[in-house]
Amino acid sequence: MRRQSPGRGPGSTGATRAAAGPSPARRAVRGAFVALGTVGALLVAADGAVAADEPGFTVRDPRITEASGLAASRAHPGVYWTHNDSANAAEVFAVDGATGRTLATVTLTGVAGRDLEAVSVGPDGDLYVGDIGDNLGGTWPHVWIYRFAEPAELADTTVEPAVHTVQYADGARDAESLAVHPGTGRVYVVGKREGGDGLYAGPEELSTEGVNTFTRVADIDLWATDAAFSPDGSRLAVRSYFGGRMYAWEDGGPREIGRLPVPIQRQGESLAFTPDGRTVLFGSEGEGEEVRAEELSGELLPEDARRADEEAGGAGGSKDAAGDDGGRDVDGDSVALGGAGLAIALAVWIALRGGRRRRGD
């Protein structure tokens, strides 16, 4: 995602972009993403990429280069909605989960489209698109959520969505994660800070009049880049660049239960549950990027899937509940050990060392 200066609100033809650059630390980490992408590609090749029976796919549309959100369609089985983030047109793409090809493009009109960062499908069948990015560290006075009915037919179209203006009760912040609970329809946002941030709940019903205030309801110890509820609403998955957490959703709040099996990607900024809730898909920015599928097991499985396995006498997968695959956690992010871990550490060290040298010039 790119940085920018405060722009005009919904209805503007484009937000003013500025040359304000990222912090030296963030430049260093982003510089490492290229090396990490190379490492990830090698690991995918060694692991046989995504197995033929797994619901992963490669994005084929050359327009989709900064995919920052992912959500399974309710109206069209096997289809996933995605979009680019800042400095791109306000468009949402319907992608075939079997071929990775774009089946339809929905262009949003009458909106700012300043920094689209997340998409979710609500129980009402509406798409919720979060224009919630704020790379300038909390300088935007407000952000927006755009809402429109999922098209009944997959064809290129233009829609004017409902616009919900959003503020946070404890001050402005950057965010890239938006999730709509499939039972209650309540909208949640996870703030994005390197040391972790919070989970914010919107009003029971969003309004197009005035401001919708989102209130912090829990801490999330991740540099969060996306979040999604399981189809039955019993699990909340939150990812970061290098790892993630699964939470049981209990009494309207999250309880951490284990690590997500997040793959190594170039710049991982999206995730979604498959409609059966048994698999999480992980997406990344970049042209022609692969959306990786990771099967869930044990306690990570949503309750509906766990009950079905118990009734069938199945084990529900081969991995244990905590996703114990020989990894370790660093500041809430899971990083694989062995050769991949060493390669990541080396890439980050080189980027940081280069950043320190530049600051010393």
Side-chain angles (χ1 to χ4, degrees), residues 106-130:
V106 178
T107 300
L108 307 185
T109 187
V111 303
R114 187 168 60 193
D115 192 357
L116 307 185
E117 290 290 356
V119 62
S120 185
V121 182
D124 52 7
D126 285 358
L127 268 75
Y128 294 73
V129 181

Side-chain angles (χ1 to χ4, degrees), residues 301-314:
L301 276 170
E303 292 302 318
D304 281 0
R306 286 167 60 84
R307 280 193 293 267
D309 285 347
E310 290 172 0
E311 292 172 0

Side-chain angles (χ1 to χ4, degrees), residues 208-228:
T208 56
E209 302 294 331
V211 174
N212 297 273
T213 300
F214 277 58
T215 304
R216 191 180 187 115
V217 294
D219 294 334
I220 299 293
D221 188 24
L222 283 170
W223 191 10
T225 60
D226 204 6

Side-chain angles (χ1 to χ4, degrees), residues 38 46 140 151 166 171 181 204 238 274 300 316-317:
T38 302
W140 305 119
V166 170
H181 193 275
E204 290 187 9
V238 184
T274 53
L300 300 187

Side-chain angles (χ1 to χ4, degrees), residues 3 133-142 168 171-175 193:
R3 291 178 176 263
D134 185 350
N135 289 326
L136 297 180
T139 61
W140 305 119
H142 53 259
Y168 302 98
R173 63 210 332 102
D174 187 19
R193 288 179 178 170

